[in-house]
Amino acid sequence: MKIKDALQRDPASIPGEPGQARISDSRNERTQSELRGELETFVCEGQYADGVQKIIRSFLDSIGKTSQRGAW
């Protein structure tokens, strides 16, 4: 059995580059389709969710400042 057989959705069916997510304000259909695929398959739970919230909070607190803290 392959990992993709145990998943609800085959990762190869998700538009875009595997393992990469990009933030863009582009309105073209391909970009919108990639973003939709990323959001539909994103899993964020437990400590990971806590970390993502801290990163987003830090980013939002620094909007309008001349620099931003780096985040993975």
Side-chain angles (χ1 to χ4, degrees), residues 23-69:
I23 298 173
S24 172
D25 64 354
S26 177
R27 301 284 185 229
N28 72 52
E29 183 61 34
R30 180 172 181 233
T31 302
Q32 293 294 311
S33 175
E34 289 177 6
L35 178 59
R36 193 173 300 109
E38 292 289 340
L39 293 173
E40 287 174 350
T41 59
F42 186 72
V43 176
C44 187
E45 298 175 334
Q47 290 182 344
Y48 184 77
D50 295 340
V52 169
Q53 287 178 355
K54 287 177 186 175
I55 291 169
I56 292 171
R57 192 173 306 116
S58 173
F59 176 80
L60 293 174
D61 289 345
S62 298
I63 287 180
K65 295 183 179 177
T66 57
S67 64
Q68 280 277 3
R69 295 184 67 177

